Structures are given as structure tokens and as C-alpha cells.
Amino acid sequence: MIETPYLLFLGDAPDQLAAKVAQGIKDWRPENAVGQFRMDGCKADLGLPDLGLAEARAAGAKTLVIGVANRGGVISQEWKKVLVTALEEGFDLASGLHNLLRDEPDLVAVAQATGRKLHDVRVPEVDYPIANGVKRKGKRCLAVGTDCSVGKMYTALAMDAEMRARGMKATFRATGQTGILITGDGIPLDAVIADFMAGSVEWLTPDNDADHWDLIEGQGSLFHVSYSGVTMALIHGGQPDALILCHEPTRPHMRGLPTYQVPTLEELRALALQLARVANPECQVVGISVNTQHMSEADAAAYLVSLETEMGLPATDPFRFGSGKLVDALAAM
Amino acid sequence: MIETPYLLFLGDAPDQLAAKVAQGIKDWRPENAVGQFRMDGCKADLGLPDLGLAEARAAGAKTLVIGVANRGGVISQEWKKVLVTALEEGFDLASGLHNLLRDEPDLVAVAQATGRKLHDVRVPEVDYPIANGVKRKGKRCLAVGTDCSVGKMYTALAMDAEMRARGMKATFRATGQTGILITGDGIPLDAVIADFMAGSVEWLTPDNDADHWDLIEGQGSLFHVSYSGVTMALIHGGQPDALILCHEPTRPHMRGLPTYQVPTLEELRALALQLARVANPECQVVGISVNTQHMSEADAAAYLVSLETEMGLPATDPFRFGSGKLVDALAAM
């Protein structure tokens, strides 16, 4: 668990896109973002106060989060100076970079000397159990996709925000590095040892109030041969009561697999529901979330109407049209 | 890859069952088993020559394989003396124990000093790729089960033996620790990082001759919520051309999951075939392997006949009645 709130380190980001992790934190958990720290040449700006390390500490920030991709896969000496000073000023560090903070001897030495923590959110920090399949209290919703990268995390975060706004009991449950940095907690499922995948999802979504919803971040796709085992573990470990189908209708083939066709939403519905009912016979498919970014607004609206007719399910693009319909469907269960 | 042939270390095995890994090696790869090494009080006997370390080296043995479970989860001082001497005599060591050889400082020190290898087959030794889903040459057969521990490894080993006896091109591909020790090679799939599971199976079953069959050891079950993700990775990474359905008809519930029912063979056939065809549209279910150990021979034979009628597939218990029918089915493809 990463201590919040954060100071968001943007470093020398070459453009706004490079700071998308920091942007996600600011968009979804603004209360976690005390300010931003930018170095000379930084081309990203989140519109947050530019704070020095001491100022941010005084404002309550507990962790410096690396919210930016690094160039060339190395943690540069310029970054190092800031990171070392942050540890000395009392910050923990959190990072989703491929190169791990714990592999940098100078950072490890300073962290040990100062008693601060280095969080590499790509690496599990917990010894997860093997799944036991025992039915848990409370309700769970999982987003499943026809493909990878079709908006599953966005859908769950948008539903979580809408449910909180309505006063419903809801918790977004992160299963990937960006989600973990946004919320400060979660499981890096793609880095978990095979035997413990489903158990880690059970651990992430424990017993809860009967009217509480866990909104579990999806990963991969049942139809993506590289990652389908991870998706399966989410479906069986998560015991979802509700599934949201996620889709990107303009994709020519499965992501990274040029000879694999994207399945239809009907195929996804049938397969995901059959598998989910192994762990939870009451599971239902309750809605469809479409990433329409490559369609005009008129085309997107028409497509959603046609989907609703064909599939008999509420359909929306949560980014364009909000997640209200999906939350209505959960509330009606 | 573990160097063969082996000297099989039976230690102070309290009974024959404790030496089942060694028994598996002797049964399935007798050419890998130069002899057995027994300590005082050993109650297991494989019927192999009892050899001292120097004798076994002289007879060509390259690796001392720990073919026995240890008591209380510790590597005892009595074992240590033998293992250290074996390293000094020029043996590599191989083990599937939960406590790793590499975590024993004295063994590590002697192995380094003598230039010998310590193989802990529970731990991956390769950086596997992410699966790319590209179609590979040659043919692959995968055993899938209604539950865990229904005879998938036995089925694949029996088919491999029968195919070799017939002069067919076949390779058993181990995906668990016992299989790895039997053959000297394979992937410890349950210990692979989630993102690389399917890629490790692709790595294990590369391009081959058009008439060559990989017989892939199955793991888990699509219907076992603790391990289904591992099974999924085998189905999508293995690209099987042929599936064998494995079943144990007397089991009251899924192994370790008292509230989960064992699916029918019809349910397994439909689900496994649908999933396998994502990666290989030509995949077929070709036969059924039943573990009938808890049935009389007459009941077993009658059950197999009824299954053949109901399912329209050849059915056998390879332990009782041989794997010939299953190999016939592969040969006919």
C-alpha cells in the first residue's frame, strides 16, 4: 500500500502523453495529487501547483510518484538527484517503470539510511494465497474485453466515480500498474506467479458489505492468446456478479496479433458468462462499454443505439457519454 | 536442461510412495536411470542396481536426482553429506523439492567450487517470451481434464511411449516438476510469471517436422477456479491440433473445492474445443482418457464402452488398457 497523498514527478517529460500516469492520478484521484514537480525542459503540465520537495512535504505529500515514462529505459542522473533528495526530505518513492527503483544501489542505500520505502508497482509485494473459490460477501463487477486495451480500466474508474457521486458503496480494485499508482493499492496481476493469479484476485476483493461493489480492473482478453490466462484468473478469482463487455469497434485485428480476428460482442458475452458462472452461477452480463474515439459523435451514438437493440443491453462510451447507464444497470440488480 | 543419465537418490524414503518421482523416471525413461542410491533405513526400492557415487559416475551417471520427498520440509544433514559428496564427485544435482537447493549456502558453495549445477525444477531457468500466436509447423496434442490430478501427465507419457514404439515421431513436453525430472527438460508452468505463461508453452513446443507430435503435459482444469488460468495458457500457447479429454468418474467434487461440481465430459469437450480453436481453428477432440483406479475392471470396461457410445470418441484407461486407441486416433488425423 502506497501512502497518499502524492507529489507527482513529471521529470523532463518530452510531451503531455509521456505523463499519462500522472494525468490518470490527477483525473481520477485529485485528492491524491498535492502538486506536480517539473524539471527544466518538462513539456507536460497537469495544471497542478508546481511545488518544490520541501513545499510539497509541508502541504502533506507523503510519496513522490514517478508519473512519467523515462527515456531510453534508464533512470537518468538528473532524475536521481531529485529522487535522492526526495528520500532525504522524507518521501517514499513509487514507480511503474520497467527499470526498478530497487535495482538502483544508490536509491536503495539512501532509502535504507532514511527509513523510506521504494514501491515498484510492477512487482508483487505480497505472498498471495492459492485461490479457494469460497463465495465472498458483497458484490463484484468485472470489465471484460473483446481485445486488450479497449478501455476496461477507464470503464471501471468511470463507474467507480459515478457510483461514489451517487452515494453508492464502491471501490475500484486495481490490477495493473497505472491503476495501482492511481489508487495507491492493488495487484500487479501480470507479474504474479501463475499458481497464485486467481488467489491474488480473491485477496484483492475480500468479503464486504452486502451492498458494496468492487469494480475490478480487467486485463487482457479471453480471445487474446498472449494474455488469456490472466483474464481467466480474473473471472474465476473475482467471482463477478456482473460483467461489463468492453469493445473497440474499428480495430482491424487483435492487438499485436495480425492474423487473429477480434471476436463479436455476442461471442464475448457467451464465453465470458459461461466461464464466470463456474465461480458464480448468479453472474449476469449487464452492459456494454464502447471506446468510440475513432468514430464521429453521430456515428458513435448511432452505433450504441444499434448495439442496444441487437444485444438487449445498455451501451455507452463512458468517456463521451458517461457511465450512468452502466451504473443504473448495477443499481437495478 | 538437466544432463542425463541419472543416479536416483532415494534417501531415507519411509515407503515406496515417497519415491514416486524416482519411480516415474524409472518407468518412463529407464535409459535415464543408471541406478539408485539408498541410505540406511530406506524403505523404497526401484529394483535398480544400488550404486555408490563413484560407481555411478563410472557407469556414466551425470546428475544425482532427488527422487524422493523430504520429511518436514527440510533438507537433513544426512542428505547434505551425500549431496555435497556427489558435487565433489562431479555430479550435478536436480530437485523438485519445495525447499530449493539454491537456498542452501553449503550446497551453493560446493557447487561453485566444483563447477557443478544445482537444478531446482520448480523455478524457471529461462526468460520466456510473450506469446506471439504465430502458427508453428508440426502437430501438438494436449490433455485437458475435467479436474486437476485426473491423469493428464500419465496419459501424455503413455501416448509418447506407444508412439515411439510404433516408430512415430513424438516428444513428451513436460510442464510440471515431475515431468521435467523424468525427461530432463520442460517448463515449470505453475511457477512462470503470468504474462509469460502462454509464451513459455510456445517456447516449449517450437516448429517441428510436419509429422512430429508434441504430447504436451496438461495442468489444472478450465473448471478449477484456482488454476484455470494456467490451463488457458496451455490451450492458447500450445495451439493443439488434438485434445484428449481426461476424467476421473468417481470424484465427488472438484479437488480441494468442496462446493464445486466436476463438469461432464460433454461440458469439457465443448468449452475446451471452443477455446482451442481461437489459436488453432483446425483443432479436434480425438479421444477420452479415464482414470478408473477406483472401479472394478469389469465396471471400468463397461463405463468406457458407454462413454464411446455417448461421446462418439475412443475411450480408454491408458494404465489398465493401454493408450493404443488414443494413438490410433492421432495417427488417423
Side-chain angles (χ1 to χ4, degrees):
Chain A
M1 193 141 183
I2 305 167
E3 282 207 80
T4 56
Y6 305 148
L7 175 63
L8 301 177
F9 177 77
L10 306 190
D12 46 2
D15 52 36
Q16 193 73 15
L17 190 63
K20 68 178 179 179
V21 169
Q23 185 74 50
I25 295 168
K26 188 230 171 186
D27 288 348
W28 295 109
R29 290 291 182 275
E31 70 275 21
N32 283 355
V34 169
Q36 62 187 9
F37 185 100
R38 301 192 293 165
M39 291 165 49
D40 286 347
C42 181
K43 301 285 202 312
D45 184 356
L46 302 177
L48 289 169
D50 285 294
L51 299 181
L53 295 170
E55 283 176 290
R57 282 292 289 159
K62 297 211 166 58
T63 302
L64 183 74
V65 171
I66 300 181
V68 59
N70 55 346
R71 307 187 199 196
V74 278
I75 298 176
S76 68
Q77 286 310 310
E78 290 71 34
W79 283 29
K80 274 284 179 61
K81 278 172 62 179
V82 180
L83 302 182
V84 165
T85 309
L87 289 168
E88 291 168 347
E89 296 268 349
F91 284 94
D92 292 340
L93 302 182
S95 160
L97 299 177
H98 274 287
N99 15 16
L100 304 182
L101 300 174
R102 69 186 63 179
D103 289 341
E104 303 290 326
D106 42 358
L107 294 182
V108 171
V110 179
Q112 276 174 347
T114 56
R116 306 318 316 165
K117 289 195 183 137
L118 304 178
H119 295 284
D120 290 300
V121 299
R122 285 184 185 270
V123 182
E125 296 190 339
V126 172
D127 286 331
Y128 302 112
I130 286 179
N132 63 24
V134 174
K135 177 74 180 156
R136 305 189 293 288
K137 297 193 189 80
K139 293 188 177 297
R140 286 155 200 87
C141 175
L142 174 67
V144 292
T146 50
D147 193 3
C148 300
S149 307
V150 291
K152 295 185 297 295
M153 181 180 79
Y154 191 98
T155 299
L157 282 164
M159 292 175 70
D160 173 65
E162 174 73 13
M163 292 171 84
R164 289 171 183 232
R166 294 189 190 184
M168 296 171 71
K169 294 182 193 169
T171 309
F172 170 76
R173 299 295 190 182
T175 63
Q177 52 176 347
T178 303
I180 295 171
L181 288 172
I182 288 173
T183 61
D185 207 356
I187 55 168
L189 186 56
D190 62 8
V192 172
I193 299 282
D195 249 4
F196 304 98
M197 293 187 297
S200 74
V201 181
E202 290 188 349
W203 176 92
L204 180 70
T205 58
D207 271 326
N208 216 316
D209 295 344
D211 58 344
H212 176 277
W213 281 94
D214 278 329
L215 298 157
I216 306 172
E217 181 190 352
Q219 296 291 339
S221 165
L222 293 168
F223 295 88
H224 195 295
V225 294
S226 309
Y227 308 115
S228 53
V230 179
T231 313
M232 185 72 132
L234 275 163
I235 289 178
H236 282 169
Q239 297 180 349
D241 301 274
L243 295 172
I244 306 288
L245 310 180
C246 297
H247 189 50
E248 203 284 71
T250 68
R251 202 163 284 188
H253 57 72
M254 294 294 282
R255 187 175 164 90
L257 304 175
T259 64
Y260 286 75
Q261 281 199 310
V262 179
T264 64
L265 280 163
E266 285 85 353
E267 289 171 309
L268 174 62
R269 171 164 63 180
L271 179 60
L273 193 59
Q274 179 185 3
L275 293 172
R277 286 184 172 168
V278 170
N280 184 350
E282 308 298 317
C283 184
Q284 295 180 42
V285 175
V286 299
I288 304 170
S289 174
V290 183
N291 178 342
T292 64
Q293 66 177 312
H294 299 299
M295 304 167 83
S296 71
E297 184 149 334
D299 286 351
Y303 177 75
L304 292 170
V305 168
S306 72
L307 266 190
E308 292 194 334
T309 309
E310 285 166 29
M311 302 280 295
L313 290 167
T316 186
D317 178 336
F319 184 81
R320 259 185 167 154
F321 305 115
S323 64
K325 282 186 181 182
L326 304 177
V327 172
D328 292 345
L330 287 195
M333 280 184 78
Chain B
M1 192 142 182
I2 304 167
E3 280 207 82
T4 56
Y6 305 147
L7 175 62
L8 301 178
F9 177 78
L10 306 190
D12 45 3
D15 52 34
Q16 193 74 14
L17 191 62
K20 68 178 180 178
V21 168
Q23 185 73 50
I25 295 168
K26 188 230 169 185
D27 288 347
W28 295 109
R29 290 290 182 277
E31 70 274 22
N32 283 355
V34 169
Q36 62 187 11
F37 185 101
R38 300 192 294 166
M39 290 164 50
D40 287 346
C42 181
K43 301 284 201 313
D45 183 356
L46 302 177
L48 289 169
D50 284 296
L51 299 181
L53 295 170
E55 283 176 290
R57 283 291 290 160
K62 298 210 165 61
T63 301
L64 182 75
V65 171
I66 300 180
V68 59
N70 55 344
R71 305 187 201 197
V74 278
I75 298 177
S76 68
Q77 285 310 309
E78 290 70 34
W79 283 30
K80 276 281 180 65
K81 278 171 62 179
V82 179
L83 302 182
V84 165
T85 309
L87 290 167
E88 290 168 348
E89 296 269 348
F91 284 94
D92 291 341
L93 302 182
S95 159
L97 300 178
H98 274 286
N99 15 14
L100 305 182
L101 301 174
R102 70 186 63 179
D103 289 342
E104 303 291 326
D106 42 358
L107 295 181
V108 171
V110 180
Q112 276 175 347
T114 56
R116 306 318 315 165
K117 288 193 184 140
L118 303 178
H119 296 284
D120 290 300
V121 300
R122 284 185 185 268
V123 183
E125 295 190 337
V126 172
D127 286 331
Y128 302 113
I130 286 178
N132 64 25
V134 174
K135 176 74 181 155
R136 305 190 292 290
K137 296 193 188 81
K139 292 189 179 295
R140 286 157 199 87
C141 175
L142 174 67
V144 292
T146 49
D147 193 3
C148 300
S149 308
V150 292
K152 297 185 296 295
M153 183 181 77
Y154 191 97
T155 300
L157 282 164
M159 292 176 69
D160 174 64
E162 173 73 14
M163 292 171 83
R164 288 171 183 232
R166 294 189 191 185
M168 297 171 71
K169 294 183 192 167
T171 308
F172 170 76
R173 299 295 191 182
T175 62
Q177 53 176 345
T178 303
I180 295 171
L181 287 173
I182 289 173
T183 60
D185 208 357
I187 55 168
L189 186 55
D190 61 9
V192 172
I193 298 282
D195 249 3
F196 303 98
M197 293 186 299
S200 74
V201 181
E202 291 188 348
W203 177 91
L204 180 70
T205 59
D207 271 327
N208 216 315
D209 295 344
D211 58 347
H212 176 277
W213 282 94
D214 278 329
L215 297 157
I216 307 172
E217 181 190 352
Q219 296 291 338
S221 165
L222 293 168
F223 294 89
H224 196 294
V225 295
S226 309
Y227 308 115
S228 54
V230 178
T231 313
M232 185 73 134
L234 274 163
I235 290 178
H236 281 168
Q239 297 182 350
D241 301 274
L243 295 173
I244 306 287
L245 310 181
C246 297
H247 188 49
E248 203 282 74
T250 69
R251 200 161 285 189
H253 57 71
M254 295 294 282
R255 187 176 164 89
L257 304 175
T259 65
Y260 286 76
Q261 282 200 308
V262 179
T264 65
L265 281 162
E266 285 84 354
E267 288 171 310
L268 174 62
R269 171 165 63 181
L271 179 59
L273 192 60
Q274 179 185 4
L275 292 172
R277 285 183 171 169
V278 169
N280 183 352
E282 309 297 320
C283 184
Q284 296 178 42
V285 175
V286 299
I288 304 171
S289 175
V290 183
N291 178 342
T292 64
Q293 66 176 315
H294 298 299
M295 305 167 81
S296 71
E297 184 148 334
D299 285 353
Y303 177 74
L304 292 170
V305 168
S306 72
L307 265 191
E308 292 194 335
T309 308
E310 285 166 29
M311 302 280 295
L313 291 168
T316 187
D317 178 336
F319 184 79
R320 261 187 165 151
F321 305 114
S323 65
K325 281 186 181 182
L326 304 177
V327 172
D328 292 346
L330 287 195
M333 281 184 76

